[in-house]
Amino acid sequence: MNKLIGLSIILSLVFACSTEKHSSQWQSYSGDPVIEYKVDSVLSLMTLDEKIGQMNQYSGNFASTGAVSDNQSGKYLKKGMIGSTFNVFGADHLRMLQEQNLKYSRLKIPMLFAADVIHGLETTFPIPLAEACSWDLELMEQTARAAAEEATASGVAWNFAPMIDIARDPRWGRVMEGAGEDVFLATQVARARVRGFQGISNYRDLSKPNTMMACAKHFVGYGAAQGGRDYHSVDVSEQSLYDTYFPPFEAAIDEGVTSFMTAFNDLNGVPCTANNYLYKDVLRDAWGFKGMVVTDYTAIMELMHHGFARDLKQGAQLSLDAGIDMDMISEAFVTHLKELVEEGKVSEKQIDVAVSRILEMKFLLGLFDDPYRYFDAERQKQVVMSEANQSLALLAAQQSIVLLKNEGKVLPLSTEIAKKVALIGPFVDERESLNGEWAIKGDRSQSVTLREGLEARYKDSKVQFAYAEGTELPLLDRSTMKAEKDNQDAERGFAEAVKVAKASDIILVAMGENFHWSGEAACRTDITLPGNQRELLKALKQTGKPIILVLFNGRPLDLSWEAEHVDAIVEAWYPGLMAGHAVADVLSGKVNPSAKLVMTFPRNVGQIPIYYNAKNTGRPFDAKAPSDYKSSYIDVDNTPLYPFGHGLSYTSFEYTNIMLNAESFGKGEAVKLKADIVNSGDCDGAEIVQLYIRDRVASLTRPVKELKDFRKVVLRKGETKTIEFTIDEAMLSFRDKNRKQITEPGEFDIWLGASSDDESNRFVISFK
């Protein structure tokens, strides 16, 4: 309490003694003159060393994702020169660390604590790629808010999420963190997750102790890394930047996101962390972003490896010149900025601008009023792993599971038909991988296994389960970044699995990737099932029994053999804490699957990158009229194995009475598209109705299809609901060669369907 009183007295003196507003020439995020005055007042009393210290961020070494410099955190803490620390957890622990910071900070400037709360703190929700498959924006906002409630009660005021990179290459391990390949859907998900994490309607709400800063990452193009290899170069046109990679980030700003994180990659020859065009021309000048920008882990240090900076000192200069406010881990700013100022290579005004942004966020979060406001041990006990959060985790997992195939309607598992079920595969009892990567504080020992979920679900039935692992799950040796050699004989374990399968009515096989096989620095050139899991499936196929394959993984896989030979495929992804219960609910039919893919599944890696909204060619392939010298492969179809938007249900839906109220419209007008959606099947369900558009002729080539809107419609058995879409000028617009948003007159194809390859309901409209 004495420390708080001392801090309050110092701040009162600061504001009373500052007769002139310090001119730092910064643009305030809040636009609040009182907040601006407070920031400038504190800034006016700071030494150059103290300013530079605020631009310095350290890791708690909880989750190291790269090489670090000679860590001098202890030295700089005692000088009051650490602005932020991340991945340190626990209200009591962080309270002690804040006390140490305030002890050494001359002006009692509070430290800002951050973390990578990607899909839950301790209550682990499905990985973001899985959640996006629910197409349920409200649900995604709810899970983000629940994660923020747990994190803020545990001391975290700044979240390094959401990742909103567009990703079209499943070899890239970090596809598991994003919302997939589509610009429109990913933009809507970005908005929902920013709203959920921050929990604010305006900047004043940030002072509430259950709100936090979100961070839009990684700006920009990270998902387009060449070869699907993490941290690799990116070379995309300016048109692609504006059409594909910029929109989610611009939308995040519209939702009030408070911070951005730089991308590791270079972009057309300039590393993002030192890219003036990105951070000054686009982010600040064009979009008007006024929040903070932090580097990714050691990104300034890596400018030397890029061959863009000769040493760390030059890297510090280049990054500050580009508009970077805070250095994560590299110690570039804290080591070299003072010297650069003395040499006249950077100005103190540049530093003032960066520090002003950092201080403003600390004021907005209420940290100057109460540096301990986020360290609420009592609230931590109440909200972390609460019953409500666990129930939400179950719902999110249920809604994220995609039914890829269901030949012969072997699902749901009927107790009348499936009296004896063989549970086979390495994921039947696997627990550690169910949370996926970036589970942060999620206790992997508490995740519900598939066997536990099934036994709980069928405990009152006469269904009998028999188990055989069949094969082990290959692990990953991160010291060599290679899979551990699988020395087991291909037949080892197969005989027992086949024996169990032969004695059963149906075979339920659970397979996938160890969680280390996806995520950061987990890229693959072979995206088939790891190890000899496919060989086990081939052995089981010889029994002639129906096979249901349940997959636990963090990326689209090459399932070309599986899709042809097994009867049903359930894509469960990494469902999180309630994995076993959620999958059992879907398999049993208690929950009717409704999720749809947000990334295309290729037939093989040779098709990559493959995504639904590609552009046409001058020689497009036509399957109905094939000929030589067309854009096609000689060894595989052009089409994907499973397209964007694909996902089956246990019921069936019909689209009827589809009507346009007009076939053409002009500026300031719109067309209404109505349709009746009928649940014509045998059970309740939900359908995700998707609206696609194609501009037939334009001054710049346009994609063959673009998702423009969707509705998730919940229908009881036999029920009909009418839905309506509004097609206006903005929906038909694109950026021209001068980056101006325009809508050109012409004809547009309109599709209403259940997936991106659904051609059944097509219409043509004209814009005049």
Side-chain angles (χ1 to χ4, degrees), residues 255-275:
E255 291 296 337
V257 72
T258 47
S259 65
F260 266 58
M261 182 182 288
T262 69
F264 284 116
N265 53 278
D266 71 327
L267 182 67
N268 303 328
V270 181
C272 291
T273 302
N275 198 311

Side-chain angles (χ1 to χ4, degrees), residues 306-523:
H306 279 291
F308 196 74
R310 60 180 170 272
D311 52 28
L312 191 61
K313 181 178 177 181
Q314 188 187 25
Q317 179 182 345
L318 292 169
S319 299
L320 184 66
D321 285 345
I324 306 306
D325 302 316
M326 185 174 284
D327 169 20
M328 183 190 294
I329 295 298
S330 293
E331 295 184 334
F333 287 168
V334 77
T335 304
H336 296 292
L337 281 188
K338 186 174 185 179
E339 184 181 3
L340 287 165
V341 170
E342 292 169 348
E343 294 174 355
K345 293 180 178 178
V346 303
S347 70
E348 189 166 351
K349 283 189 175 181
Q350 288 178 272
I351 293 171
D352 287 348
V353 169
V355 177
S356 295
R357 293 170 182 148
I358 296 166
L359 293 177
E360 181 184 26
M361 290 303 157
K362 293 183 178 184
F363 272 111
L364 292 176
L365 289 166
L367 296 178
F368 276 98
D369 294 327
D370 180 3
Y372 309 110
R373 66 186 303 115
Y374 284 92
F375 315 144
D376 190 338
E378 187 58 38
R379 187 165 75 90
Q380 186 178 8
K381 292 178 184 177
Q382 293 174 359
V383 303
V384 172
M385 288 285 284
S386 66
E387 289 187 13
N389 285 356
Q390 291 185 54
S391 296
L392 184 61
L394 175 60
L395 175 64
Q398 292 168 340
Q399 298 302 306
S400 300
I401 296 169
V402 185
L403 180 60
L404 296 178
K405 180 182 180 182
N406 192 19
E407 192 171 288
K409 296 186 177 180
V410 294
L411 286 174
L413 277 173
S414 168
T415 56
E416 300 301 320
I417 299 173
K419 298 292 187 182
K420 296 181 178 180
V421 179
L423 298 181
I424 295 172
F427 262 98
V428 171
D429 282 332
E430 168 65 16
R431 195 184 306 275
E432 188 178 53
S433 290
L434 296 177
N435 286 353
E437 272 289 7
W438 290 114
I440 204 70
K441 291 289 289 178
D443 186 349
R444 296 182 183 276
S445 70
Q446 294 193 42
S447 296
V448 180
T449 69
L450 178 59
R451 178 156 35 170
E452 290 169 345
L454 286 168
E455 288 177 344
R457 184 75 192 96
Y458 286 95
K459 65 180 180 180
D460 296 326
S461 73
K462 296 181 180 179
V463 174
Q464 298 178 3
F465 295 106
Y467 170 69
E469 184 179 38
T471 186
E472 295 179 352
L473 190 66
L475 303 178
L476 186 70
D477 181 356
R478 282 202 171 270
S479 65
T480 62
M481 293 312 301
K482 295 186 182 299
E484 291 183 354
K485 184 174 176 57
D486 186 5
N487 292 314
Q488 64 180 343
D489 185 344
E491 299 301 319
R492 180 183 173 189
F494 284 21
E496 180 187 2
V498 170
K499 180 180 178 181
V500 169
K502 286 181 176 178
S504 302
D505 301 317
I506 198 165
I507 308 169
L508 182 59
V509 187
M511 293 180 168
E513 303 173 302
N514 175 276
F515 75 98
H516 283 313
W517 283 59
S518 66
E520 187 170 349
C523 304

Side-chain angles (χ1 to χ4, degrees), residues 44-106:
S44 69
L45 297 181
M46 296 175 73
T47 66
L48 180 57
D49 281 339
E50 288 170 335
K51 293 174 184 176
I52 293 170
Q54 286 299 302
M55 303 167 69
N56 184 28
Q57 184 183 65
Y58 280 104
S59 170
N61 295 325
F62 176 83
S64 176
T65 58
V68 298
S69 61
D70 182 16
N71 192 315
Q72 300 291 314
S73 57
K75 180 181 81 172
Y76 289 116
L77 176 63
K78 291 182 179 179
K79 291 183 177 182
M81 292 179 67
I82 298 180
S84 176
T85 301
F86 67 100
N87 285 347
V88 184
F89 299 98
D92 292 337
H93 187 185
L94 288 173
R95 178 177 289 274
M96 289 188 292
L97 189 54
Q98 187 73 286
E99 287 175 351
Q100 288 295 304
N101 168 66
L102 294 175
K103 174 182 177 182
Y104 295 114
S105 173
R106 182 179 67 92

Side-chain angles (χ1 to χ4, degrees), residues 111-147:
M111 192 181 295
L112 176 60
F113 295 105
D116 292 279
V117 186
I118 307 300
H119 54 112
L121 185 74
E122 292 192 36
T123 305
T124 308
F125 300 101
I127 60 172
L129 182 67
E131 273 200 342
C133 290
S134 72
W135 296 53
D136 191 328
L137 301 175
E138 183 178 350
L139 178 61
M140 285 179 262
E141 183 174 343
Q142 289 174 351
T143 59
R145 183 88 292 268

